[in-house]
Amino acid sequence: LFLSFGCAASLSPSCLSAQFRRPGDFILGGLFPFGKDTVNLTARSEPTLLRCDRLFTDGLIWALGMRFAIEQINNSSSLLPGITLGYDMYDTCFEPLVALQPSLLFLTQKGTTTIGVLCNYTEYQPRVTAVIGPHKSDLCLLTAKLFSSFLIPQVSYGASSETLSNTELYPSFYRTVPGDKNLVEAVVLLLNQFGWNWIATVGSDDEYGRGAQALFLSTADTNNICIAFEGLIPTELAEPNARKQLENTIKVINSTKVNVVVLFAHSLAAQALLELSIRMGLGKKVWIGTEAWMLSDIAASTPNIQSIGTVLGFVMRTGTIPGFQEFVAELFSSVVQEEFCQKSRELSGLVNAEVLDTHCQQCDHVTLGDIWPMLTVTTVQPVQVAVYSVAHALHKALGCTSKSCPKTPIRSWQLLHFMNTLPFEVNGQSYRFDQSHGTNTGYKLISWAWRDGTVTYLPVGDYDQSLYIRKSQIQFHTADKKEPTSECFRRCQPGQFRRIKGFNLCCYDCTDCSENTFWSSTDSTSCSPCPQHQWAPARSTQCHQRSDRFLFWHEPLAVALVTLMALTAALSCVAALLFLKHLHTPLVQVSGGARSIFALLWLLLQSLSCCLYVGRPSPGLCTLQQLSYALCLNGCFSTFVPKALEITLLTEFPRCAPRLLCWVTHGRAWLLVAVSLLIQVLFCCCHLYLGPDFLVVDYKSLPSEVLLVCGTQSWAAFALLHGYNSCLAFICFLCTFMVQTPGRRYNVARGITFSTLICFVIWIFFLVIFATLRTVLRAVTQICTILATTLGILASYFVPKCYIMVFRPDLNTEDYCQNLTEEEPEVNRQ
């Protein structure tokens, strides 16, 4: 829709309109929002007659900014010397269909009003070289598809939708404003700095609002920000259910009791929501806005707007354009001059009046006073940067020098390479399109401040990759003038994870991590378990290496046991020496003679075998532990068996005794000992074959250590190994426990009886404890069992004899220690 402006109320309304069309060597198309179409597009019978009934001064200022930039370039002696740029500007009326009409005109072949259908458009020359605009994202999504089909550069000065960053779908689309991704990151950082994690977000029901809100929701979810409510508000406020939808949105926001609302919307939708929230008494909130409505006089001029609370928002960081205000003032002072109107009529005669020459009636009464207040607010720099980006690309494509440019035909698609790769400079500042064809100049954080009843925009922070806020300059409209809180949860401390509560998935309590788990990140909903070779105390943020745990030589319990082992070994040695010294005395002979010394040597080895249980265990040591115990104990019990059998034959089977005693006495008694040991060796081999003890690396029994302990692989092999000794002990017990000896004689059988009985009692306790323990005490139990067994045998069988040999040598006589075989004749006579 062609823009028509009147010079003054008394002049022809076409005077200024021709000033928005200008011929040149290269034409730039411009799409700007000047008015809002109020005609029902679906009910129109004449689709070419579109009318605008509301002026938007922003659109006019942007159009003037484009004209100003082009005139600067045409007056430059170095950028495009000898080349003039023309322009052809149209109104979009904020309507896709309206924006589509001039877009199609831009695509028509130069000098015609038709679009040729060709197989190859390489040499196709459209009416315009590039297009500046439009402003809104939803309009750009429509027009960018058209211009990308012909690879015509399109540079928007306001569209921020991330969808447009897809260079595969829109290869010729560029923008001179940051994308929504940068805006959303800035908003999230703002929320995190103030600790606001319980918020509502509202977006306008258009491409900008939906896209920015969806991007914000995905980013907030990964930054510990809970969304209490997310909603869309209508952009078509004249629709019947628009007000009801706005009321429902405000009611839900009020019910969530949030104190922070993030609003992604254009000025009209934002103004409608803010105005209705004031009427419904929503209460003072923190409103976080964007440039789409923060700098709009429409939203700021809402009655009683200061009652909504605190308004914070991000606007693009831009600079002023030197000479632009003077240019606008001079232009509007020229409008009232006949010379200006004469020139306008001359320019109008150069343009085909049949092409989109619809007139906007209410655009005829624009004065400088209407737009002057907005010159300091409306951002014109993105328009200027857009024009200069095309001019610099033309400079490179034409091969211009600082003095001249060759007037060679340039196709639009030839500009894309230079726009993608080369930086350009505007007003001393360097710019460059990034990989998504955008420029990121950063943002300013501004706050609305009311002075004398009017809104002023107070800069309170900056964002460029990181956010800096001057909090002391922000005036929060709360009872205590301090920043409000808006939290669904408290920040968890290191070592705590989030336990979800209630119906909202992002509301949670903080719970300490248990032992052997650790806190991995701030957004964890559970604690991570430590690897099995590591451990962690409760509420830990990291895991620690486990230390090995076994029975150390230096720990007090081990020292005590080794000391007791040494005493036991010494006692065995002393007893063996005493028996060796009194080997031929009656007491030693009646006790078995040299076999007793042999038994004491096995007890010595058995006590020394306790060393196998102290220190770091190994597979070899684990294998030797049970074998050494069983073999040493068998060496002792095997010497008791001949004496027990001898006593049984003499007491229970006196008639058979003379014939059988030769097999259990003297040299053949040693044969029994050797056979017993050989059998035990065979059982040891079976134990090794069926399943010897093995080293167990236990990560579960101890909280912070690795338990190294010997484990039983086969209980059958264990029973087989120790069952044989139990049988020997049981045989000895049966053979001796009923034997009676006169008081004047030494009772040899009683020592064997008590020795085996003590062993049975010790083994019963040992088996019960050994089968259930899986700690270092398992090794302690085995040592105690060995020492208790050794000491029990020594105390019940050998120590009484040693006592007699040392302290009662008068009893070490043949009469007192007479062998049972010597009493046999007397028994037979009786």
Side-chain angles (χ1 to χ4, degrees):
L1 181 63
F2 175 61
L3 176 67
S4 298
F5 286 98
C7 305
S10 60
L11 298 177
S12 169
S14 63
C15 290
L16 187 58
S17 64
Q19 297 295 319
F20 287 88
R21 278 186 178 177
R22 186 182 184 91
D25 296 318
F26 296 95
I27 303 298
L28 301 185
L31 297 173
F32 298 95
F34 297 108
K36 181 66 177 176
D37 178 35
T38 58
V39 181
N40 188 348
L41 298 179
T42 59
R44 266 196 322 268
S45 59
E46 298 182 17
T48 59
L49 299 177
L50 305 177
R51 298 195 178 276
C52 307
D53 64 353
R54 182 167 182 175
L55 174 68
F56 278 83
T57 55
D58 285 350
L60 175 57
I61 294 174
W62 287 326
L64 294 175
M66 177 177 173
R67 176 177 167 175
F68 175 70
I70 290 177
E71 290 191 10
Q72 276 187 322
I73 294 169
N74 288 337
N75 294 330
S76 173
S77 59
S78 59
L79 184 54
L80 291 174
I83 298 294
T84 59
L85 294 181
Y87 47 87
D88 204 356
M89 303 182 196
Y90 291 89
D91 187 7
T92 63
C93 284
F94 285 101
E95 286 289 348
L97 182 58
V98 178
L100 189 61
Q101 289 180 326
S103 299
L104 291 173
L105 177 63
F106 293 156
L107 295 176
T108 59
Q109 199 162 2
K110 189 174 184 179
T112 71
T113 57
T114 61
I115 301 176
V117 180
L118 305 175
C119 294
N120 189 344
Y121 284 88
T122 304
E123 300 299 325
Y124 186 82
Q125 185 67 51
R127 177 183 293 266
V128 298
T129 302
V131 178
I132 307 300
H135 177 259
K136 291 184 65 177
S137 296
D138 52 352
L139 299 183
C140 286
L141 288 173
L142 176 64
T143 58
K145 292 179 181 178
L146 285 175
F147 297 131
S148 293
S149 300
F150 289 82
L151 294 180
I152 297 176
Q154 176 187 2
V155 188
S156 174
Y157 50 88
S160 59
S161 173
E162 279 301 306
T163 306
L164 293 166
S165 298
N166 190 336
T167 56
E168 293 184 359
L169 292 178
Y170 310 102
S172 66
F173 178 83
Y174 299 84
R175 56 181 163 205
T176 55
V177 295
D180 287 340
K181 182 179 180 181
N182 303 99
L183 174 64
V184 164
E185 290 175 352
V187 172
V188 169
L189 286 177
L190 174 65
L191 295 173
N192 282 333
Q193 283 210 21
F194 283 104
W196 295 328
N197 54 42
W198 182 237
I199 65 167
T201 173
V202 181
S204 54
D205 195 6
D206 54 13
E207 178 61 31
Y208 167 73
R210 289 190 300 268
Q213 180 168 273
L215 190 61
F216 172 74
L217 292 175
S218 61
T219 307
D221 183 58
T222 59
N223 285 271
N224 287 339
I225 297 175
C226 296
I227 308 300
F229 168 74
E230 56 179 283
L232 296 174
I233 55 177
T235 55
E236 297 295 337
L237 302 176
E239 293 182 355
N241 61 342
R243 183 178 179 86
K244 183 177 180 182
Q245 189 174 348
L246 288 170
E247 290 177 351
N248 291 337
T249 300
I250 295 172
K251 289 178 181 178
V252 175
I253 292 175
N254 190 43
S255 65
T256 58
K257 300 187 183 305
V258 298
N259 290 325
V260 179
V261 182
V262 180
L263 179 57
F264 300 101
H266 288 287
S267 56
L268 283 177
Q271 186 263 346
L273 180 67
L274 294 176
E275 182 179 1
L276 194 57
S277 66
I278 294 172
R279 291 182 182 178
M280 296 179 63
L282 179 61
K284 293 184 177 182
K285 307 289 184 184
V286 176
W287 295 85
I288 298 178
T290 63
E291 191 168 1
W293 65 273
M294 283 289 296
L295 300 179
S296 172
D297 61 334
I298 297 175
S301 61
T302 302
N304 201 24
I305 187 65
Q306 63 270 19
S307 65
I308 65 171
T310 306
V311 179
L312 296 171
F314 291 94
V315 297
M316 187 173 61
R317 185 189 299 153
T318 58
T320 58
I321 300 178
F324 178 63
Q325 292 185 356
E326 292 79 1
F327 166 78
V328 174
E330 183 181 352
L331 177 64
F332 272 85
S333 64
S334 301
V335 168
V336 298
Q337 301 175 11
E338 180 60 30
E339 181 185 352
F340 180 86
C341 290
Q342 178 63 32
K343 187 177 180 180
S344 297
R345 285 190 288 269
E346 292 175 1
L347 292 173
S348 180
L350 300 175
V351 180
N352 185 356
E354 296 180 356
V355 178
L356 295 179
D357 199 16
T358 307
H359 178 60
C360 181
Q361 295 288 345
Q362 296 191 18
C363 297
D364 297 337
H365 306 287
V366 181
T367 64
L368 181 61
D370 295 329
I371 68 170
W372 189 259
M374 297 302 297
L375 287 176
T376 57
V377 177
T378 303
T379 304
V380 184
Q381 188 182 34
V383 180
Q384 187 188 35
V385 174
V387 175
Y388 269 86
S389 68
V390 176
H392 279 275
L394 272 172
H395 178 91
K396 294 295 182 180
L398 290 169
C400 298
T401 64
S402 60
K403 296 182 180 181
S404 64
C405 287
K407 292 192 176 183
T408 57
I410 292 294
R411 304 293 182 261
S412 299
W413 57 268
Q414 292 177 294
L415 302 180
L416 299 181
H417 169 72
F418 301 103
M419 296 183 70
N420 290 340
T421 57
L422 296 178
F424 57 95
E425 190 172 290
V426 182
N427 295 330
Q429 185 175 356
S430 181
Y431 295 88
R432 186 172 193 156
F433 292 112
D434 56 26
Q435 293 182 348
S436 60
H437 292 180
T439 58
N440 183 13
T441 57
Y443 290 97
K444 289 190 302 182
L445 177 64
I446 64 172
S447 173
W448 280 9
W450 285 272
R451 296 175 182 173
D452 299 328
T454 60
V455 174
T456 58
Y457 306 108
L458 180 64
V460 293
D462 295 281
Y463 171 76
D464 189 3
Q465 306 298 329
S466 60
L467 179 63
Y468 171 71
I469 305 176
R470 296 180 287 275
K471 293 185 178 181
S472 61
Q473 298 183 8
I474 302 176
Q475 181 180 358
F476 290 101
H477 300 278
T478 55
D480 55 1
K481 302 300 181 182
K482 296 182 180 179
E483 61 186 67
T485 59
S486 188
E487 294 182 326
C488 174
F489 56 88
R490 61 185 177 89
R491 296 287 179 179
C492 291
Q493 299 298 317
Q496 295 180 323
F497 70 95
R498 304 183 307 179
R499 186 183 297 279
I500 295 174
K501 63 177 181 178
F503 298 100
N504 197 302
L505 295 180
C506 65
C507 291
Y508 53 80
D509 289 323
C510 295
T511 306
D512 293 346
C513 291
S514 60
E515 291 186 353
N516 292 327
T517 63
F518 71 101
W519 173 75
S520 58
S521 63
T522 55
D523 57 349
S524 295
T525 57
S526 63
C527 296
S528 302
C530 292
Q532 67 173 3
H533 63 281
Q534 295 180 334
W535 76 283
R539 197 172 176 176
S540 176
T541 58
Q542 62 179 349
C543 294
H544 309 282
Q545 293 294 330
R546 289 178 178 266
S547 59
D548 294 337
R549 183 67 178 101
F550 48 86
L551 189 61
F552 293 92
W553 285 97
H554 58 78
E555 60 182 293
L557 181 59
V559 172
L561 291 174
V562 170
T563 302
L564 182 60
M565 175 201 71
L567 293 176
T568 305
L571 184 60
S572 300
C573 289
V574 170
L577 291 175
L578 285 175
F579 270 70
L580 180 63
K581 181 180 179 181
H582 300 86
L583 179 62
H584 299 291
T585 61
L587 181 59
V588 174
Q589 290 299 316
V590 77
S591 300
R595 295 196 303 276
S596 296
I597 300 176
F598 185 74
L600 287 170
L601 292 178
W602 281 111
L603 291 179
L604 173 63
L605 292 176
Q606 180 171 286
S607 60
L608 294 177
S609 70
C610 293
C611 294
L612 298 176
Y613 300 88
V614 185
R616 179 182 293 274
S618 65
L621 289 177
C622 291
T623 302
L624 289 176
Q625 286 176 359
Q626 298 300 329
L627 297 180
S628 62
Y629 178 44
L631 196 59
C632 291
L633 191 60
N634 182 267
C636 179
F637 282 159
S638 62
T639 61
F640 290 169
V641 170
K643 176 57 67 174
L645 292 176
E646 176 186 352
I647 292 172
T648 302
L649 288 174
L650 291 173
T651 57
E652 302 297 331
F653 306 101
R655 298 183 182 277
C656 302
R659 189 175 69 254
L660 298 176
L661 279 175
C662 61
W663 291 98
V664 293
T665 57
H666 306 299
R668 292 187 179 181
W670 284 102
L671 181 61
L672 282 177
V673 173
V675 170
S676 176
L677 283 172
L678 180 60
I679 293 173
Q680 185 62 50
V681 169
L682 292 177
F683 282 128
C684 290
C685 293
C686 292
H687 181 266
L688 292 174
Y689 177 77
L690 293 176
D693 288 4
F694 64 100
L695 179 63
V696 176
V697 182
D698 186 2
Y699 295 97
K700 298 180 179 179
S701 297
L702 301 177
S704 62
E705 297 170 311
V706 180
L707 178 62
L708 302 180
V709 66
C710 295
T712 302
Q713 183 174 350
S714 172
W715 286 102
F718 180 89
L720 189 66
L721 183 67
H722 295 285
Y724 178 61
N725 285 334
S726 299
C727 292
L728 292 182
F730 187 67
I731 291 172
C732 293
F733 179 78
L734 289 179
C735 293
T736 58
F737 86 102
M738 290 295 291
V739 174
Q740 296 292 330
T741 302
R744 67 181 190 277
R745 304 276 192 235
Y746 179 76
N747 194 339
V748 180
R750 217 33 99 235
I752 298 176
T753 300
F754 281 111
S755 297
T756 54
L757 184 60
I758 290 173
C759 287
F760 284 140
V761 174
I762 293 173
W763 286 350
I764 290 172
F765 284 101
F766 164 71
L767 289 176
V768 173
I769 298 173
F770 184 77
T772 56
L773 278 179
R774 289 298 296 272
T775 64
V776 173
L777 296 178
R778 185 181 176 103
V780 174
T781 301
Q782 290 179 284
I783 294 175
C784 291
T785 301
I786 293 172
L787 294 179
T789 303
T790 306
L791 289 174
I793 295 174
L794 288 173
S796 59
Y797 189 78
F798 292 102
V799 170
K801 297 175 176 58
C802 293
Y803 175 80
I804 293 175
M805 285 184 282
V806 175
F807 298 104
R808 297 297 301 273
D810 57 304
L811 297 179
N812 191 2
T813 61
E814 293 183 358
D815 184 45
Y816 183 75
C817 302
Q818 188 177 11
N819 199 326
L820 290 177
T821 55
E822 298 175 0
E823 295 181 3
E824 181 61 24
E826 183 180 352
V827 172
N828 291 336
R829 282 192 300 270
Q830 291 175 356

PDB file of all heavy atoms in Angstrom, residues 726-740:
ATOM      1  N   SER A 726      37.248 -83.040  63.686  1.00  0.00           N
ATOM      2  CA  SER A 726      36.139 -83.189  64.634  1.00  0.00           C
ATOM      3  C   SER A 726      35.894 -84.658  64.936  1.00  0.00           C
ATOM      4  O   SER A 726      35.601 -85.020  66.088  1.00  0.00           O
ATOM      5  CB  SER A 726      34.874 -82.546  64.049  1.00  0.00           C
ATOM      6  OG  SER A 726      35.073 -81.162  63.813  1.00  0.00           O
ATOM      7  N   CYS A 727      35.985 -85.459  63.916  1.00  0.00           N
ATOM      8  CA  CYS A 727      35.804 -86.906  64.139  1.00  0.00           C
ATOM      9  C   CYS A 727      36.891 -87.467  65.049  1.00  0.00           C
ATOM     10  O   CYS A 727      36.614 -88.283  65.944  1.00  0.00           O
ATOM     11  CB  CYS A 727      35.805 -87.635  62.804  1.00  0.00           C
ATOM     12  SG  CYS A 727      34.365 -87.281  61.783  1.00  0.00           S
ATOM     13  N   LEU A 728      38.136 -87.055  64.794  1.00  0.00           N
ATOM     14  CA  LEU A 728      39.226 -87.525  65.658  1.00  0.00           C
ATOM     15  C   LEU A 728      39.007 -87.096  67.100  1.00  0.00           C
ATOM     16  O   LEU A 728      39.206 -87.871  68.046  1.00  0.00           O
ATOM     17  CB  LEU A 728      40.567 -86.980  65.145  1.00  0.00           C
ATOM     18  CG  LEU A 728      41.074 -87.527  63.807  1.00  0.00           C
ATOM     19  CD1 LEU A 728      42.430 -86.929  63.468  1.00  0.00           C
ATOM     20  CD2 LEU A 728      41.192 -89.054  63.851  1.00  0.00           C
ATOM     21  N   ALA A 729      38.606 -85.814  67.260  1.00  0.00           N
ATOM     22  CA  ALA A 729      38.365 -85.308  68.613  1.00  0.00           C
ATOM     23  C   ALA A 729      37.209 -86.043  69.267  1.00  0.00           C
ATOM     24  O   ALA A 729      37.260 -86.367  70.480  1.00  0.00           O
ATOM     25  CB  ALA A 729      38.076 -83.808  68.566  1.00  0.00           C
ATOM     26  N   PHE A 730      36.157 -86.348  68.482  1.00  0.00           N
ATOM     27  CA  PHE A 730      35.017 -87.055  69.036  1.00  0.00           C
ATOM     28  C   PHE A 730      35.404 -88.472  69.450  1.00  0.00           C
ATOM     29  O   PHE A 730      34.968 -88.978  70.500  1.00  0.00           O
ATOM     30  CB  PHE A 730      33.885 -87.081  68.013  1.00  0.00           C
ATOM     31  CG  PHE A 730      32.614 -87.635  68.555  1.00  0.00           C
ATOM     32  CD1 PHE A 730      31.902 -86.961  69.553  1.00  0.00           C
ATOM     33  CD2 PHE A 730      32.118 -88.850  68.090  1.00  0.00           C
ATOM     34  CE1 PHE A 730      30.729 -87.494  70.054  1.00  0.00           C
ATOM     35  CE2 PHE A 730      30.932 -89.375  68.593  1.00  0.00           C
ATOM     36  CZ  PHE A 730      30.233 -88.690  69.581  1.00  0.00           C
ATOM     37  N   ILE A 731      36.251 -89.128  68.659  1.00  0.00           N
ATOM     38  CA  ILE A 731      36.715 -90.486  68.992  1.00  0.00           C
ATOM     39  C   ILE A 731      37.519 -90.448  70.290  1.00  0.00           C
ATOM     40  O   ILE A 731      37.331 -91.291  71.191  1.00  0.00           O
ATOM     41  CB  ILE A 731      37.552 -91.062  67.836  1.00  0.00           C
ATOM     42  CG1 ILE A 731      36.650 -91.344  66.632  1.00  0.00           C
ATOM     43  CG2 ILE A 731      38.291 -92.334  68.267  1.00  0.00           C
ATOM     44  CD1 ILE A 731      37.415 -91.735  65.379  1.00  0.00           C
ATOM     45  N   CYS A 732      38.397 -89.463  70.389  1.00  0.00           N
ATOM     46  CA  CYS A 732      39.202 -89.348  71.604  1.00  0.00           C
ATOM     47  C   CYS A 732      38.321 -89.092  72.823  1.00  0.00           C
ATOM     48  O   CYS A 732      38.578 -89.631  73.921  1.00  0.00           O
ATOM     49  CB  CYS A 732      40.233 -88.230  71.460  1.00  0.00           C
ATOM     50  SG  CYS A 732      41.511 -88.561  70.232  1.00  0.00           S
ATOM     51  N   PHE A 733      37.296 -88.266  72.631  1.00  0.00           N
ATOM     52  CA  PHE A 733      36.397 -87.967  73.740  1.00  0.00           C
ATOM     53  C   PHE A 733      35.638 -89.207  74.182  1.00  0.00           C
ATOM     54  O   PHE A 733      35.528 -89.479  75.383  1.00  0.00           O
ATOM     55  CB  PHE A 733      35.422 -86.864  73.310  1.00  0.00           C
ATOM     56  CG  PHE A 733      34.444 -86.499  74.385  1.00  0.00           C
ATOM     57  CD1 PHE A 733      34.814 -85.688  75.450  1.00  0.00           C
ATOM     58  CD2 PHE A 733      33.138 -86.974  74.335  1.00  0.00           C
ATOM     59  CE1 PHE A 733      33.892 -85.354  76.438  1.00  0.00           C
ATOM     60  CE2 PHE A 733      32.228 -86.640  75.319  1.00  0.00           C
ATOM     61  CZ  PHE A 733      32.599 -85.823  76.377  1.00  0.00           C
ATOM     62  N   LEU A 734      35.109 -89.972  73.243  1.00  0.00           N
ATOM     63  CA  LEU A 734      34.368 -91.180  73.584  1.00  0.00           C
ATOM     64  C   LEU A 734      35.250 -92.211  74.283  1.00  0.00           C
ATOM     65  O   LEU A 734      34.795 -92.955  75.167  1.00  0.00           O
ATOM     66  CB  LEU A 734      33.758 -91.795  72.320  1.00  0.00           C
ATOM     67  CG  LEU A 734      32.590 -91.033  71.687  1.00  0.00           C
ATOM     68  CD1 LEU A 734      32.120 -91.762  70.430  1.00  0.00           C
ATOM     69  CD2 LEU A 734      31.434 -90.885  72.671  1.00  0.00           C
ATOM     70  N   CYS A 735      36.514 -92.244  73.883  1.00  0.00           N
ATOM     71  CA  CYS A 735      37.412 -93.243  74.436  1.00  0.00           C
ATOM     72  C   CYS A 735      37.891 -92.913  75.850  1.00  0.00           C
ATOM     73  O   CYS A 735      38.376 -93.800  76.565  1.00  0.00           O
ATOM     74  CB  CYS A 735      38.641 -93.423  73.531  1.00  0.00           C
ATOM     75  SG  CYS A 735      38.249 -94.159  71.922  1.00  0.00           S
ATOM     76  N   THR A 736      37.740 -91.665  76.253  1.00  0.00           N
ATOM     77  CA  THR A 736      38.375 -91.272  77.504  1.00  0.00           C
ATOM     78  C   THR A 736      37.431 -90.696  78.553  1.00  0.00           C
ATOM     79  O   THR A 736      37.808 -90.630  79.744  1.00  0.00           O
ATOM     80  CB  THR A 736      39.467 -90.216  77.230  1.00  0.00           C
ATOM     81  OG1 THR A 736      38.869 -89.092  76.574  1.00  0.00           O
ATOM     82  CG2 THR A 736      40.567 -90.802  76.358  1.00  0.00           C
ATOM     83  N   PHE A 737      36.229 -90.250  78.175  1.00  0.00           N
ATOM     84  CA  PHE A 737      35.462 -89.480  79.147  1.00  0.00           C
ATOM     85  C   PHE A 737      34.884 -90.348  80.276  1.00  0.00           C
ATOM     86  O   PHE A 737      34.536 -89.819  81.328  1.00  0.00           O
ATOM     87  CB  PHE A 737      34.342 -88.707  78.433  1.00  0.00           C
ATOM     88  CG  PHE A 737      33.082 -89.487  78.241  1.00  0.00           C
ATOM     89  CD1 PHE A 737      31.983 -89.276  79.079  1.00  0.00           C
ATOM     90  CD2 PHE A 737      32.975 -90.445  77.235  1.00  0.00           C
ATOM     91  CE1 PHE A 737      30.822 -89.982  78.884  1.00  0.00           C
ATOM     92  CE2 PHE A 737      31.806 -91.128  77.048  1.00  0.00           C
ATOM     93  CZ  PHE A 737      30.712 -90.912  77.859  1.00  0.00           C
ATOM     94  N   MET A 738      34.772 -91.696  80.101  1.00  0.00           N
ATOM     95  CA  MET A 738      34.214 -92.558  81.148  1.00  0.00           C
ATOM     96  C   MET A 738      35.288 -93.310  81.935  1.00  0.00           C
ATOM     97  O   MET A 738      34.977 -94.084  82.813  1.00  0.00           O
ATOM     98  CB  MET A 738      33.266 -93.573  80.507  1.00  0.00           C
ATOM     99  CG  MET A 738      31.994 -92.959  79.972  1.00  0.00           C
ATOM    100  SD  MET A 738      30.965 -92.249  81.279  1.00  0.00           S
ATOM    101  CE  MET A 738      30.442 -93.734  82.130  1.00  0.00           C
ATOM    102  N   VAL A 739      36.548 -93.060  81.646  1.00  0.00           N
ATOM    103  CA  VAL A 739      37.628 -93.814  82.296  1.00  0.00           C
ATOM    104  C   VAL A 739      37.829 -93.287  83.726  1.00  0.00           C
ATOM    105  O   VAL A 739      37.922 -92.072  83.945  1.00  0.00           O
ATOM    106  CB  VAL A 739      38.940 -93.683  81.483  1.00  0.00           C
ATOM    107  CG1 VAL A 739      40.094 -94.345  82.240  1.00  0.00           C
ATOM    108  CG2 VAL A 739      38.747 -94.307  80.112  1.00  0.00           C
ATOM    109  N   GLN A 740      37.871 -94.230  84.664  1.00  0.00           N
ATOM    110  CA  GLN A 740      38.092 -93.897  86.063  1.00  0.00           C
ATOM    111  C   GLN A 740      39.482 -94.387  86.488  1.00  0.00           C
ATOM    112  O   GLN A 740      39.895 -95.490  86.144  1.00  0.00           O
ATOM    113  CB  GLN A 740      37.043 -94.569  86.946  1.00  0.00           C
ATOM    114  CG  GLN A 740      35.637 -94.078  86.689  1.00  0.00           C
ATOM    115  CD  GLN A 740      35.448 -92.633  87.109  1.00  0.00           C
ATOM    116  OE1 GLN A 740      36.112 -92.169  88.051  1.00  0.00           O
ATOM    117  NE2 GLN A 740      34.542 -91.935  86.428  1.00  0.00           N
TER     118      GLN A 740
END
